[in-house]
Amino acid sequence: DAGVTQSPTHLIKTRGQQVTLRCSPKSGHDTVSWYQQALGQGPQFIFQYYEEEERQRGNFPDRFSGHQFPNYSSELNVNALLLGDSALYLCASSLEGSREQYFGPGTRLTVT
Amino acid sequence: EDQVTQSPEALRLQEGESSSLNCSYTVSGLRGLFWYRQDPGKGPEFLFTLYSAGEEKEKERLKATLTKKESFLHITAPKPEDSATYLCAVLSGSNYQLIWGAGTKLIIKP
């Protein structure tokens, strides 16, 4: 049973550039959430997708956007990168109606 | 305001030395409290969900308990492989978003 997968593993970008991160949910899951985790901190909720729609959003600017595809996979896009966007970006999947989320290994983004 | 505080920030134990990690929370309508384990550079690994005060869950050397204001993660006779950061999160009934603590870094020395 494949768990949550994310790509790429690591990414280095320059300030002002744009980045796309990808996530495939655990088999059978239909809901995807994205989190940002700074070093030494807990994850911060960015947004959640269900049925290809953004269902909830945390306190993140519009530079952060996402998409969910019919096969439930998802993308996180960040525009106009800032140094402060450097973090571990985590994708979590769940089954609609279930409160338990399962996380992928994350993508480490470094903005220079 | 929904808030989760974990203590201590870091805990060093000798192998076999039992202890507890604390997660204190303030939330509008608790819809669940979650414990995760996170190894360096990896995503959190789900451990337990607790829903109501008095509930307990166990898995190997770990036992999680819940009261109306806090949760404890008890670790009995830990081994070096239990070294990790343990994260606590609560699901708020006001916005159905997970609110996370900063974690407790647990180090078990052989």
Side-chain angles (χ1 to χ4, degrees):
Chain A
D1 180 19
V4 180
T5 60
Q6 292 186 244
S7 63
T9 305
H10 297 89
L11 204 52
I12 299 175
K13 290 288 189 178
T14 304
R15 274 181 302 174
Q17 286 188 317
Q18 178 264 346
V19 69
T20 297
L21 310 181
R22 295 177 175 82
C23 170
S24 291
K26 182 179 170 67
S27 178
H29 286 184
D30 55 10
T31 303
V32 173
S33 302
W34 286 92
Y35 294 84
Q36 180 193 69
Q37 187 178 26
L39 204 59
Q41 300 295 318
Q44 296 290 315
F45 175 72
I46 303 175
F47 42 54
Q48 184 181 78
Y49 277 84
Y50 171 67
E51 291 189 337
E52 302 179 51
E53 296 284 335
E54 181 183 295
R55 184 160 65 174
Q56 285 189 324
R57 188 178 184 92
N59 189 25
F60 278 79
D62 292 344
R63 298 187 296 110
F64 290 77
S65 63
H67 189 77
Q68 186 179 33
F69 299 94
N71 66 353
Y72 307 119
S73 67
S74 177
E75 288 182 349
L76 164 66
N77 300 293
V78 187
N79 294 323
L81 286 167
L82 303 174
L83 294 179
D85 294 332
S86 295
L88 181 67
Y89 287 85
L90 295 164
C91 169
S93 74
S94 57
L95 189 59
E96 167 63 10
S98 170
R99 302 172 190 180
E100 295 167 1
Q101 297 186 6
Y102 293 83
F103 284 81
T107 293
R108 171 69 62 187
L109 173 65
T110 302
V111 182
T112 62
Chain B
E1 180 185 350
D2 297 336
Q3 193 169 1
V4 177
T5 303
Q6 291 189 247
S7 62
E9 290 185 8
L11 183 61
R12 295 176 184 267
L13 300 172
Q14 287 295 135
E15 184 174 0
E17 181 183 1
S18 301
S19 188
S20 296
L21 313 182
N22 179 264
C23 171
S24 298
Y25 63 90
T26 304
V27 67
S28 302
L30 180 70
R31 292 291 182 265
L33 185 142
F34 305 83
W35 282 99
Y36 285 82
R37 168 194 171 128
Q38 187 173 28
D39 293 301
K42 298 187 177 181
E45 174 189 347
F46 172 77
L47 293 174
F48 304 109
T49 307
L50 302 167
Y51 290 106
S52 57
E55 189 174 359
E56 299 182 351
K57 293 274 182 74
E58 285 189 68
K59 179 180 179 180
E60 296 180 357
R61 294 177 292 281
L62 299 176
K63 178 180 177 180
T65 62
L66 181 64
T67 72
K68 289 185 178 180
K69 294 183 178 181
E70 59 191 348
S71 176
F72 291 94
L73 185 65
H74 308 277
I75 182 161
T76 303
K79 299 181 178 181
E81 54 262 41
D82 295 322
S83 297
T85 294
Y86 290 84
L87 293 164
C88 168
V90 297
L91 185 62
S92 167
S94 63
N95 59 16
Y96 282 86
Q97 292 181 12
L98 278 178
I99 311 299
W100 294 80
T104 292
K105 184 174 183 178
L106 179 65
I107 299 171
I108 308 299
K109 296 179 286 185

